[in-house]
Amino acid sequence: MSALTEDQTGRGGRPANGTATTVENPPHPAVPRQPVPRGPATAGAAPSTTASKEPATSATVSEIPTPPTTASAEPASSTTAPEKPTPAATAPEKPAPPSPATDHPAAPRPPITAVTTVTPELAHRTTETDVFPTRWTRISDTRFRFTAHWPAAHPFFGPVDDRHQDPMIVGETLRQASMVLAHAEFGAPADTHFVMWDLTVSVDPAALLLADAAEPVEFDVVCSEIRRRGRGLRSMRTTMEFRRAGRFVARGTGSTGCTPPRAYRRLRAGRLNAWNTPVPLLTGIAPQAAGRSRAEDVVLAPADRPGVWNLRVDTGHPVLFPRPNDHVPGMVLFEAARQAATAASGLRPFLPATLTAEFAHYAELHSPCRIETEVFDDHPGEVTVRVSGRQDGASVFTASLTSARPARVRSLS
C-alpha cells in the first residue's frame, strides 16, 4: 500500500534519506512454492482443526461477515492510479490461473489441502522479521486460510503500551496477505505494481494483549470483486477475519489494483526517477505526542497551527522504506493518520477500534503534504479523529480512526 500503492521495487539495499525512495512494486524473481509437511505445526491450516473458526460452531470462511465496501475518490488526472473498478463493473469470478510462482504456466496447482509457506518475496518485504503471514491453505478458488505470527517485540509494529500490541499490525497483515494471494493464487506477475484503494479494519483491542503474542493468529480470507487482465489479475477485494485461540481479534477489508510495469511507467512518466533526488528530512514532533517511543519512527513534523502537521518522509527508514520508491508508500500515510489521531486527541495510548482509509492520489516525495485533523466526541466513552492529507491543493488520502476513551477513576478521598 502506498500513497495509492504498495511500497516495493526491485532495487537492493535500503536507501539512505536523501538518496532514494520507492518505485511502486519492484520486479521479484520467481518464487517456487514451498509445501510444508503436514503435522502438529501446520494442523491449524486444515479446515477441520483450525482455530479460526467460531468456537463450538461449524462456521466456515464463507460465513465471514463482509464489512461495507469503502468507496475511494476517483483519481483526477493521468498521474494518479488507474481507474478504480466499481462493483457493477466487476467481472464474474473465474478459477484462478496458474501461480506466477511456478516456472511453467501449465504447472498443476497444489491440492486444496496443501499448505504453502509465505516468503518475503511474495509479501513484498525484504526481511523475514517483517513478514507476518507465515503460511496458507487454499479452501477454494476464492477462499483461503492463513496462519500469522504477530511478535511481541518488533522494531516498528511494537507494543503501544505495557499491555497491548499495535492494532496497525492488522492492516499490515491484510496488505501482505492480499499481495501473496495476488501473486501465488491469481496470476499477478512478480513485477506487478499494486494499488491499495481503500482499507477498513475493526479491532478488539482487548484481544491484542502482549501476553498472548506467542499464540499464532489464524485468519480466513474471502476474495471478491475479482477482475481479470488476460490470465492475470486486474483488481480484487480481500475480506479477512482474524482469530487467536478461537477468539475474535479483528476484521478487515481492502481493494487492490494491479498495474503492469509498462502501464506503470506511462502512469508515472516523469516521476520514476524521483528517488534519485534527496528528500529533506524534517524535524519530527516529540515521539510521545505521536504515540511512538522512538524519534526515528515519527512521520509528522510541526506545522503552522494546532491540529495540523507536515508529513515527515524518511526514505532511510528500514520498515517504511525498505527499498527505493518513486512516491510515499501508503503504509507511511496510514501511520501518519494514526500518529495525527494520537496527537490531536491527546489519548495515550490511542488504541483504534476502527480504522478506515481511502487513497485518491499518489503522495509525491518532493512536495509538502499537510496532515489535518478534526476531533469528534459525539459518542460517550469514545473519540473519533478524521484525518486528511493534502498535497499541491489536492486530496491525497482521508482516514477516520475511533478509539475508546479511558474511563476516569474517581478519587475516594
Side-chain angles (χ1 to χ4, degrees):
M1 180 179 71
S2 37
L4 236 201
T5 79
E6 218 300 277
D7 58 331
Q8 305 294 323
T9 65
R11 300 180 176 276
R14 76 177 177 86
N17 203 75
T19 61
T21 11
T22 348
V23 182
E24 177 101 58
N25 286 330
H28 290 289
V31 182
R33 287 184 173 274
Q34 302 180 30
V36 177
R38 297 295 300 278
T42 60
S48 62
T49 58
T50 180
S52 62
K53 295 182 180 179
E54 186 75 36
T57 73
S58 58
T60 65
V61 65
S62 62
E63 296 170 331
I64 298 176
T66 304
T69 300
T70 305
S72 72
E74 288 291 335
S77 72
S78 61
T79 60
T80 64
E83 181 182 358
K84 179 185 178 182
T86 60
T90 299
E93 296 183 9
K94 303 176 184 178
S99 166
T102 57
D103 295 330
H104 195 281
R109 299 180 68 191
I112 296 288
T113 56
V115 178
T116 311
T117 300
V118 175
T119 65
E121 291 82 6
L122 285 174
H124 286 226
R125 304 304 297 172
T126 55
T127 62
E128 292 279 357
T129 56
D130 292 338
V131 178
F132 301 129
T134 58
R135 58 185 181 269
W136 83 94
T137 301
R138 180 165 58 90
I139 306 302
S140 73
D141 285 335
T142 58
R143 290 169 167 80
F144 307 87
R145 182 161 293 136
F146 277 76
T147 299
H149 174 57
W150 293 340
H154 185 272
F156 186 77
F157 295 98
V160 293
D161 58 12
D162 59 358
R163 295 185 60 224
H164 298 91
Q165 291 189 272
D166 188 352
M168 300 293 281
I169 203 169
V170 177
E172 174 61 12
T173 303
L174 185 151
R175 187 186 69 88
Q176 291 183 17
S178 297
M179 290 186 296
V180 167
L181 293 177
H183 284 310
E185 299 285 355
F186 290 93
D191 55 0
T192 298
H193 298 260
F194 289 95
V195 175
M196 181 67 79
W197 281 100
D198 58 75
L199 182 64
T200 300
V201 174
S202 58
V203 183
D204 177 8
L208 279 176
L209 298 180
L210 288 171
D212 298 330
E215 186 76 29
V217 176
E218 306 288 340
F219 62 101
D220 289 338
V221 184
V222 174
C223 300
S224 61
E225 301 176 25
I226 299 167
R227 302 182 74 192
R228 298 290 189 185
R229 178 182 282 110
R231 293 176 62 85
L233 182 67
R234 181 175 180 181
S235 63
M236 71 174 177
R237 174 171 293 279
T238 49
T239 299
M240 308 183 187
E241 186 167 288
F242 300 80
R243 293 180 180 271
R244 179 182 269 162
R247 178 181 178 182
F248 172 83
V249 176
R251 183 179 295 114
T253 185
S255 59
T256 303
C258 306
T259 307
R262 290 178 62 182
Y264 187 76
R265 287 194 294 270
R266 293 194 300 269
L267 190 69
R268 299 290 293 162
R271 299 184 183 272
L272 289 176
N273 294 324
W275 57 269
N276 282 321
T277 304
V279 180
L281 182 59
L282 304 179
T283 300
I285 65 175
Q288 294 75 18
R292 306 296 310 196
S293 59
R294 306 189 310 172
E296 56 264 39
D297 293 333
V298 173
V299 297
L300 300 179
D304 52 359
R305 58 186 175 86
V308 178
W309 296 270
N310 292 312
L311 185 66
R312 179 178 184 264
V313 178
D314 181 1
T315 58
H317 195 287
V319 176
L320 298 177
F321 281 88
R323 297 179 185 230
N325 205 325
D326 61 28
H327 58 270
V328 179
M331 189 200 310
V332 178
L333 302 180
F334 208 38
E335 175 63 19
R338 189 264 292 272
Q339 293 188 18
T342 303
S345 67
L347 295 185
R348 307 289 189 278
F350 186 91
L351 281 171
T354 60
L355 311 88
T356 64
E358 300 175 2
F359 303 94
H361 289 73
Y362 292 105
E364 306 298 345
L365 293 167
H366 299 98
S367 295
C369 183
R370 286 174 64 86
I371 309 298
E372 303 178 352
T373 58
E374 293 181 275
V375 180
F376 299 88
D377 293 297
D378 299 334
H379 302 285
E382 67 179 33
V383 57
T384 296
V385 183
R386 294 178 187 169
V387 185
S388 62
R390 298 187 62 82
Q391 188 176 65
D392 298 327
S395 173
V396 172
F397 78 96
T398 57
S400 178
L401 302 90
T402 299
S403 174
R405 187 180 292 279
R408 295 180 179 178
V409 178
R410 295 183 178 179
S411 173
L412 298 178
S413 58

